[in-house]
Amino acid sequence: MEEIAFLRDERGEIYPTIENFYKFCGMGKLMAVRCSRCGRLILPPRPMCPECYSTDLGWVQLSGRGRLETYSEVYVPPKNFASKSPYVIGIVRLVEGVALPGQIVVDRGEKAEVGMELSVDFESAPAEGWPQWPRYFFRPVDRK
Amino acid sequence: MSGRALAAIISAGLSKFGKLEGLYSREIFLSAAKEAFDRCPNLNPKKDIKSLFIGQMSESSEHQGHTGALIADWLGLNPTPSVRLESACASSGAALRAGIQAIMSGLVETVMVGGVEKLTHLSTSDATEYLALSSDNFLEQWHGFTFPALFALIARAHMHKYKTREEQLAAVAVKNHKNGSKNPKAHIQKEITIEQALNSRIIASPLRLFDCSLISDGASCLILTRPELAKRYTDEPVYIVGTGQASDTIGLYEREDLTSLNSIALAAREAYRMADVGPDDLDVVEVHDCFTIAEIVSYEMLGLCGKGEGGTFIESGQTEIDGKIPVNTSGGLKSKGHPVGATGTAQVYEIYLQLTGQAGKRQVEGAEIGLTQNLGGHGSTSIVHIFKRNI
């Protein structure tokens, strides 16, 4: 695999930024950060804990498993998503307790359902435009 | 300070809402301002107005920035200080709050607040992208979340938890179109049937076309002064007795309860406390029905009904013009239209008309106390104001 250039802080640690979060997605890893002072799990990562203002934060890998809390099938998409329409989006509550929004990829004829078990997967990065970040998405567990 | 007047509205103006072809923000704002000036002959705008606060979501749709200065110039009010405020769809609600704060600070006596937006020259997909700017770009927009889709997520969660039904969502649209048919400035002045609403095409399930507010052009404005000076300008001022604002997460996914819009409840609590008013005291209310589900959740957050009861509350008819607590007599964002930057003070314009007995065919008899609830994004900003006819 090609070496991924992460933005790093003065100590050489991978900086807790959104872009680094997506760079991890490019490596097939769903990552959050945990605050070393108050223990809060922060997703997406932020450079400062919103709870205790500590900047002492460490990366942790998430299981990528969770349940669908709510969803919608989008028929009027933004321009960049026109070719995918209709597609399903939703909010996934991960087993670690934090939640992520994302696309829910279901088979033709298969229905999304509140409460369904999902696991994360990753797309490759788009070749043009900004930002060039690989997207994560979710699919039903039993299909993997 | 409970129950005390914070500021007084001495005049108000509203442009026609709709597809205003060939007219852009500066010109649209002038028609709202002209009405406000004509309504208040004792006001000398050049001499009396000491500051301008103008809400507008984005300058990018017209490739024109510096809206504060632009509006002051086109109103012939140079060198009066003027700024643009942005809080997504709550931009002019924020402008109103800034005006109140300026007056209460003692720095100025009389100000103009308002808002404007030009949207209908954009394609649907451009307008969709533009409105989505108020959500989390890197987590929501990046994954194809549109604004209707975000409110669809709230609707789905509400339907799942409280058994809210599509017919109840549609009932909001039917009511607001009925009210809008009585409003000569509304974008669409036409009644609709529940069947029409339920058979309209899906935008983002479970929300259909008739669950969505309109993409409109329009402007609104208010002239505010210190309460004790109001009678100098008019015999019929309306007093602002409560203001509340709250912020919530920029991403919907970070909220614990997806069936609530907690910022509304927090803003309302602050405004109710300041005004010494409760939900049972209200005679007329304008809520931010950007989507039908938003009106249902607003009922609950404002305490007009209990949590989870919004669906049965709309069906009870209590929020009709002749009901116990009329909501969105103007037609709301659904029928009057939603030029986003103009919406906050346009809601106040309706309450001003209602409390001064000028609401024509949609007049609520004897309305004394009113409330407006203005939402920015999917509730990342909420602004609530409370108004009284008499102090």
Side-chain angles (χ1 to χ4, degrees):
Chain A
M1 184 184 282
E2 199 183 319
E3 185 76 6
I4 291 179
F6 287 100
L7 180 69
R8 290 172 186 272
D9 65 16
E10 60 277 13
R11 294 167 300 176
E13 304 289 335
I14 297 174
Y15 211 59
T17 61
I18 300 267
E19 188 156 288
N20 282 342
F21 164 79
Y22 279 107
K23 282 181 175 171
F24 274 121
C25 287
M27 298 165 65
K29 290 178 178 178
L30 191 67
M31 303 288 283
V33 294
R34 192 180 289 285
C35 175
S36 306
R37 189 192 291 171
C38 74
R40 176 167 164 161
L41 189 61
I42 302 168
L43 181 69
R46 303 179 180 201
M48 182 176 77
C49 175
E51 204 62 52
C52 72
Y53 301 139
S54 169
T55 50
D56 191 4
L57 307 156
W59 289 92
V60 288
Q61 186 169 359
L62 302 171
S63 65
R65 306 275 288 229
R67 282 183 188 278
L68 187 58
E69 284 210 327
T70 181
Y71 69 93
S72 172
E73 202 173 3
V74 181
Y75 283 83
V76 180
K79 251 185 231 156
N80 290 345
F81 290 81
S83 63
K84 288 190 163 190
S85 174
Y87 54 90
V88 180
I89 54 118
I91 294 177
V92 181
R93 178 72 53 187
L94 300 168
V95 293
E96 290 85 357
V98 284
L100 269 185
Q103 294 215 4
I104 315 299
V105 177
V106 290
D107 274 342
R108 203 175 280 276
E110 190 179 16
K111 284 275 177 205
E113 267 177 56
V114 173
M116 83 194 300
E117 272 191 77
L118 301 165
S119 78
V120 78
D121 204 343
F122 301 92
E123 285 178 5
S124 49
E128 49 189 43
W130 175 87
Q132 284 180 18
W133 294 342
R135 292 182 178 88
Y136 61 83
F137 63 95
F138 296 90
R139 56 167 104 240
V141 160
D142 51 3
R143 286 186 55 236
K144 279 206 84 173
Chain B
M1 65 184 289
S2 169
R4 175 170 84 85
L6 314 175
I9 304 171
I10 53 171
S11 192
L14 187 79
S15 75
K16 171 81 177 70
F17 274 17
K19 188 173 169 62
L20 307 178
E21 227 157 328
L23 294 172
Y24 290 87
S25 284
R26 60 183 78 184
E27 293 137 347
I28 298 167
F29 195 88
L30 290 194
S31 75
K34 174 72 175 153
E35 180 188 340
F37 293 163
D38 287 351
R39 199 184 272 285
C40 192
N42 292 346
L43 179 85
N44 179 344
K46 288 182 198 290
K47 182 172 150 286
D48 296 333
I49 295 176
K50 298 296 192 208
S51 214
L52 288 161
F53 300 94
I54 309 299
Q56 185 192 39
M57 180 171 157
S58 172
E59 66 286 271
S60 62
S61 78
E62 287 173 73
H63 204 79
Q64 172 67 64
H66 216 166
T67 303
L70 170 71
I71 297 296
D73 184 7
W74 277 62
L75 287 175
L77 286 179
N78 284 339
T80 307
S82 181
V83 292
R84 162 180 163 234
L85 290 95
E86 189 279 318
S87 288
C89 311
S91 293
S92 57
L96 168 58
R97 232 176 107 85
I100 294 168
Q101 288 167 337
I103 288 170
M104 291 182 76
S105 76
L107 198 61
V108 289
E109 286 181 349
T110 303
V111 304
M112 178 182 242
V113 303
V116 64
E117 207 81 46
K118 174 73 184 178
L119 289 171
T120 65
H121 61 306
L122 302 174
S123 68
T124 302
S125 65
D126 282 346
T128 299
E129 280 199 47
Y130 168 82
L131 294 168
L133 292 179
S134 58
S135 64
D136 187 334
N137 180 21
F138 294 156
L139 275 294
E140 292 174 336
Q141 296 165 48
W142 182 238
H143 294 273
F145 284 50
T146 62
F147 234 70
L150 285 155
F151 276 89
L153 295 178
I154 297 170
R156 177 88 61 198
H158 205 276
M159 291 164 97
H160 185 76
K161 186 167 179 185
Y162 298 115
K163 309 291 169 234
T164 306
R165 290 175 289 108
E166 283 192 43
E167 291 79 2
Q168 294 169 329
L169 300 181
V172 173
V174 171
K175 169 183 71 73
N176 290 350
H177 272 281
K178 188 170 152 193
N179 295 349
S181 73
K182 301 184 174 88
N183 183 352
K185 289 192 174 176
H187 187 160
I188 295 186
Q189 297 163 37
K190 219 165 53 180
E191 293 200 37
I192 59 161
T193 65
I194 199 128
E195 290 76 24
Q196 261 177 302
L198 289 171
N199 291 322
S200 62
R201 67 191 170 96
I202 295 174
I203 303 295
S205 70
L207 300 184
R208 295 171 183 274
L209 182 65
F210 278 74
D211 289 305
C212 306
S213 59
L214 307 170
I215 292 171
S216 321
D217 309 324
S220 56
C221 69
L222 311 167
I223 315 282
L224 312 181
T225 193
R226 285 166 57 185
E228 60 273 27
L229 304 180
K231 291 277 168 83
R232 250 190 229 176
Y233 295 103
T234 174
D235 294 334
E236 288 205 309
V238 165
Y239 297 97
I240 303 167
V241 292
T243 176
Q245 180 169 344
S247 303
D248 203 347
T249 60
I250 193 73
L252 188 64
Y253 57 94
E254 290 200 84
R255 314 238 176 108
E256 266 173 45
D257 180 5
L258 295 170
T259 66
S260 294
L261 290 166
N262 204 33
S263 59
I264 300 176
L266 295 172
R269 188 197 297 171
E270 189 185 354
Y272 282 141
R273 182 189 51 76
M274 207 179 284
D276 196 19
V277 156
D280 289 341
D281 301 317
L282 302 172
D283 299 313
V284 59
V285 172
E286 289 280 306
V287 304
H288 195 99
D289 58 324
C290 50
F291 298 93
T292 49
I293 184 64
E295 176 158 335
I296 284 177
V297 174
S298 292
Y299 293 163
E300 300 172 9
M301 297 296 107
L302 294 172
L304 306 185
C305 68
K307 184 75 194 97
E309 294 169 5
T312 47
F313 193 60
I314 176 70
E315 282 186 322
S316 74
Q318 293 183 71
T319 56
E320 301 271 352
I321 287 178
D322 58 358
K324 185 169 154 263
I325 174 66
V327 176
N328 284 339
T329 58
S330 67
L333 285 51
K334 178 70 198 83
S335 167
K336 181 185 60 184
H338 186 25
V340 290
T343 284
T345 39
Q347 294 177 313
V348 180
Y349 175 87
E350 177 70 9
I351 297 295
Y352 172 83
L353 293 187
Q354 288 286 358
L355 298 192
T356 53
Q358 301 180 71
K361 286 182 185 165
R362 53 188 201 283
Q363 181 66 44
V364 174
E365 284 312 311
E368 292 275 340
I369 302 179
L371 177 146
T372 58
Q373 174 262 317
N374 188 198
L375 202 66
H378 44 53
S380 308
T381 298
S382 278
I383 301 177
V384 171
H385 283 98
I386 298 175
F387 308 88
K388 273 188 181 175
R389 178 180 183 168
N390 294 301
I391 276 296

